[in-house]
Amino acid sequence: MFKRLQTKLTVLYAGLFALALSVVAVTVYVAIASNAQRAVRQELAATGTVFDRIWALRTQRLQDGAELLSRDFGFRAAVATHDRATVESAVTNLRQRLGLDLAFTVGVDGEVVGLDPSRLDLETLWTALDAEDGAQGVFSIDGQPHQLISAPILSPTLTGWVVFAAKLDEREMQALEKLSAIGLDAQVFTQRGEAWVSADRAPAGGELAAFVAKAMQEKSRAPAMLRDGGDSLVLVQPIRALDQTRGAALVLRHPMALAMAPYRPLMAAVIIAGLIGAALVAAASWALSRGLAKPITALDEAARRLQRGEDVSVAVTTDDEIGRLAESFNLMAEEIREREADMVHQALHDAETGLPNRRALERAIQDRLTGLAVGEQVVIGTIGLDRFPQVRAAIGYELATQLVAKLGQRIVDTVPGLIVGRLTTSILCVVSTTTDIEDVLARAEALLPSLEAPLQIGGEPVDVHITFGLASATNADIDASRLIEHALIGLDQARATHGKLMVFDPVAYGDPASNLSLMSEMLEAVRNGDLFLNHQPKLDLRSGQITGVEALVRWNHPTRGFLRPDLFVGMAEETGHIRALTDYVLTQAIEDQARLRAAGHEVLMSVNVSGRLIDDQAFAEHAIAQVAAAGANLCFEITETAVIGNPDIALAVLARLAEANIRVSIDDYGSGLSSLAYLKQIRADELKIDKMFVTALESGGTDALLVKSTVDLAHSLGMKVTAEGVETREVIAALQLMGCDLAQGYHVAKPLAVDKLIEFLDAWAIDLPVKTESRLSA
Amino acid sequence: MKRLATLLIAMFLGGHAYAGDLTVSVRGADGKPVPDAVVMVYPNGQPTKGPIKFPWAYRVAQQNIQFSPFMLVVPVGADVQFPNLDKVRHHVYSFSPGNKFEIKLYGQEENRTAKMSAPGVVAIGCNIHDKMVSFIRVVDTAYAGKTDANGVVTVRDVPVGAVTAKVWHPYLRGMKNEKTLAITSVGAGAAREAVTVELRQPSGHH
């Protein structure tokens, strides 16, 4: 209900006090009221008793007077002799003597002397007088209640009654009221029929009349509470009525308000004291709770701000629990800030070098991108430590990491304002302040030598070799992570070209993502004939005949056009689709050989087999079975390095191929790191010298010697030698002279489709530079 | 001799050859016998002409601060003696109309008389002693008497024929404290009659 602590406390305390006070006030009031009521009851009862006594005394006095008169002989004589004048004077005399209101005689014959009979109900009076000797009680005369006293006149028999009457009027009642210590209101009630009426006073309320009727009926003689607006205690005391069939009652009433009046100042004092007390408590609670709530409110507010990540501190104003709470809060807030800073630092820095990490770099780049003006670029560079694994192996992990850190520091020192972070173990990233990539390129080239100066690691100089990759973006281009990726690719591209620095080339990079789908398209192409074989003829340098062809796979892609074989073949190797491609090539080659054979040309069909398949026995068995079934004459061209990968299995497979009469050719000899030991082990039938050496033959020099020695080596190992990339007649001549067996290249023929090949073979004729005789001599 | 005289007078005056005794038994509403009730018989409803004489003494003595007897029946004109047998003095009086008299304080052994000159009731009191009350019934018929302790009275020699009979008692509830008896005629010989009356509580100090 109350959201504020202060209000809550104030309301609680003030409310409790008010409640307690109310209880006290009510208790006091109830005690006073009951006390007053008791006092009034006692007084009423006492007054009732006093009234009884007074009534008895008065009755006795009147009775005595009446009897005195009734016994007076002269009076009796006057009555008996109907001497009205005497009787009247006698009763008047006594009335005056006794101070009575009325005195008269009633004869047994109903004659009234001393009073006008019309003023009273004679018959009722007579009956009442006749019913009892000395009948007395309340009786109405002139509608006014009177106390009537009678005494019989015996002379000596009953001749009548002396009747005295005293008014029960206001004066009488006031006299009675004065007897009481408390302010009583006395009234006489008489019964008229069923109703009770107050005879003397102003008409009483119906409630009082009903109350009297009830009290008389129940014969209750104790004071009771009458609630008729103003509460009052009422004692109903029955008085004897002359006419016994009717009742009369003295009603003593004391208003409670009157009884409570003396206590009113006390009650007022209690209430005023209570109100003042409640006000004081409310004020004090307000002040106290304010003192309590204010720092709590401040803490609450501070906690909210802390939650929002703001830097907060609350003022410590007291040294009580709340003060200590505030201190603890401040401490906690500070620790949270420290931890947060720590976490932010950790999140944005490389743990090992302390350099900003990739995320920090991305943020910085993103900030730079969003703040970029039109026409400007964000330029970043990736700096790769070359041959890092080797360096790490040499100097250890820790020092290698130091090396990276120091290199980063060096870059920062060299070009202040740069952001330098660590992307991977051996690659740093630089976010340039320059907004034009050409400037950056120029500056990077200029700085390269100084950056590559040896670094002091553990007191010793360590050589540093680095490669730069650069990339740039306008803000609309790409996001930070893509830009970093581009810079990394730029680095890769630089390394691939053995350069030191390269800007990311999106064209050369192509879209590798699209290459993945190329494989499924390739399998589709196998089925629908988009893949096909071209055959490059091989010239026998001794006979001048075309004795073999090398089958080369080609792909006419429906949307991308002719695709380079190294693209999809390489990818097939990387994605595990090389088997399917090779199977196709094999099948197609066998088929093409059969066509050539049908056309009258018997040639050895060479098929390139990926190094990945050389240690695949299942492939070997499949190929062998296929060759055997078709009676094909095949040669598998494999690269020397492939054999080296898994030599034991590879050599066993090669042996199986040899058994199956499938020739084996070592492709691209000289391009890799050839090992004579393996060359000896491989039971190959042919060695193909890489065109790199062959094209160099023309210029002479060491290459010619290399080719010659290779030819000789191959021959000594029982292998034929094929030279690739033969493009001139001079090269053919040189090869002939060196004793090379076969030549392949544009000078002989380009790769040709089967139909073209058949035409080519049909038309084949060559004039070899070195004639047969020299061939014979070789 | 008195009876004889009466008889003679009766025979002489009325010419009636026969007479009868009438015995009346008076009882209260509670069935108890009512003493001191006066029964008066009027042959043919007429008072007796000529002097009447009852066989009992016309005397109300004061003895032990009481009148004795309480009830006395006398004929009109009788002189009633009031002898004071007490040691104290008495002041005997009556305010009864027609028979008002007052015998002022008189002492022991004094005897006074008062003449009852009118028929009716004479209530007698003593001005000194309130509780002393007695009654004299002055009658104008020769045929009257008062009930004894058993509430029985016998009126003798009532002439045969139609009669009016009344019973009177000072406390009897009824007009003039009287009640007319149901009997309307008397035959020769003895006749019995019973009457029930209602009595009031006497007022005053008795």
Side-chain angles (χ1 to χ4, degrees), chain A residues 71 73 76 80 154 156-158, chain B residues 95 124 127 130 135 203-205:
Chain A
R71 300 286 165 77
F73 186 72
R76 280 193 287 179
L154 299 166
T157 51
L158 184 70
Chain B
F95 300 127
I124 305 166
N127 194 24
D130 284 348
F135 294 91
S203 295
H205 308 284

Side-chain angles (χ1 to χ4, degrees), chain B residues 101-164:
Chain B
F101 69 92
E102 191 174 347
I103 307 170
K104 291 188 175 162
L105 283 169
Y106 67 106
Q108 195 180 12
E109 300 300 330
E110 282 187 85
N111 194 358
R112 302 290 164 88
T113 56
K115 185 181 278 290
M116 301 299 142
S117 45
V121 178
V122 184
I124 305 166
C126 173
N127 194 24
I128 310 295
H129 306 103
D130 284 348
K131 65 176 183 179
M132 291 172 65
V133 177
S134 76
F135 294 91
I136 298 174
R137 176 73 205 204
V138 182
V139 298
D140 51 359
T141 177
Y143 312 101
K146 65 166 188 174
T147 55
D148 58 13
N150 294 321
V152 178
V153 62
T154 300
V155 182
R156 299 195 180 276
D157 302 326
V158 181
V160 173
V163 294
T164 303

Side-chain angles (χ1 to χ4, degrees), chain A residues 332-609:
Chain A
M332 180 184 77
E334 197 171 326
E335 280 174 7
I336 287 174
R337 276 199 299 278
E338 279 170 11
R339 274 203 291 277
E340 205 174 60
D342 209 29
M343 267 151 55
V344 168
H345 188 269
Q346 278 182 16
L348 296 177
H349 288 80
D350 176 51
E352 290 171 331
T353 60
L355 292 169
N357 63 9
R358 187 186 187 109
R359 183 180 298 163
L361 287 164
E362 281 182 6
R363 271 193 199 182
I365 293 164
Q366 203 64 52
D367 285 351
R368 206 56 75 75
L369 279 171
T370 46
L372 214 53
V374 179
E376 287 184 337
Q377 290 173 307
V378 173
V379 183
I380 67 164
T382 45
I383 300 164
L385 269 164
D386 295 339
R387 301 189 333 106
F388 187 74
Q390 286 83 353
V391 174
R392 190 167 59 190
I395 64 173
Y397 188 91
E398 202 177 324
L399 293 179
T401 306
Q402 259 186 50
L403 183 70
V404 175
K406 285 207 169 183
L407 177 63
Q409 192 56 50
R410 174 183 274 174
I411 297 165
V412 174
D413 292 344
T414 312
V415 188
L418 280 184
I419 297 169
V420 179
R422 195 185 191 194
L423 275 183
T424 68
T425 319
S426 61
I427 298 173
L428 295 174
C429 180
V430 176
V431 182
S432 174
T433 49
T434 313
T435 57
D436 182 51
I437 195 160
E438 297 303 326
D439 290 356
V440 177
L441 192 60
R443 292 185 70 180
E445 268 178 337
L447 285 172
L448 200 54
S450 63
L451 292 178
E452 284 200 311
L455 278 163
Q456 291 289 321
I457 300 295
E460 300 294 331
V462 176
D463 277 349
V464 179
H465 299 282
I466 57 175
T467 306
F468 262 105
L470 290 176
S472 68
T474 61
N475 60 347
D477 269 355
I478 48 174
D479 62 7
S481 64
R482 280 301 290 274
L483 184 57
I484 290 172
E485 197 183 302
H486 285 177
L488 282 170
I489 294 162
L491 178 62
D492 285 345
Q493 286 174 334
R495 278 176 173 165
T497 57
H498 306 291
K500 294 296 283 180
L501 197 151
M502 192 167 235
V503 176
F504 167 65
D505 178 3
V507 179
Y509 178 56
D511 188 4
S514 67
N515 291 341
L516 200 61
S517 62
L518 207 58
M519 286 301 100
S520 54
E521 289 172 12
M522 187 187 78
L523 297 177
E524 181 65 25
V526 168
R527 282 192 288 277
N528 64 23
D530 285 343
L531 277 184
F532 59 94
L533 295 182
N534 276 354
H535 302 277
Q536 190 167 30
K538 286 182 178 177
L539 172 66
D540 188 322
L541 291 174
R542 298 182 200 283
S543 65
Q545 296 300 306
I546 302 297
T547 56
V549 292
E550 183 183 358
L552 295 167
V553 67
R554 292 291 180 266
W555 184 0
N556 186 16
H557 191 275
T559 54
R560 294 168 69 159
F562 282 98
L563 292 172
R564 294 201 327 270
D566 56 338
L567 177 67
F568 66 90
V569 170
M571 200 169 296
E573 282 185 326
E574 298 305 320
T575 58
H577 290 90
I578 192 65
R579 169 76 194 265
L581 184 60
T582 308
D583 280 350
Y584 164 73
V585 172
L586 198 60
T587 308
Q588 192 61 49
I590 289 169
E591 199 176 301
D592 287 356
Q593 192 180 41
R595 281 192 65 186
L596 288 170
R597 197 176 279 161
H601 302 288
E602 185 64 43
V603 288
L604 178 67
M605 185 67 76
S606 288
V607 175
N608 285 290
V609 174

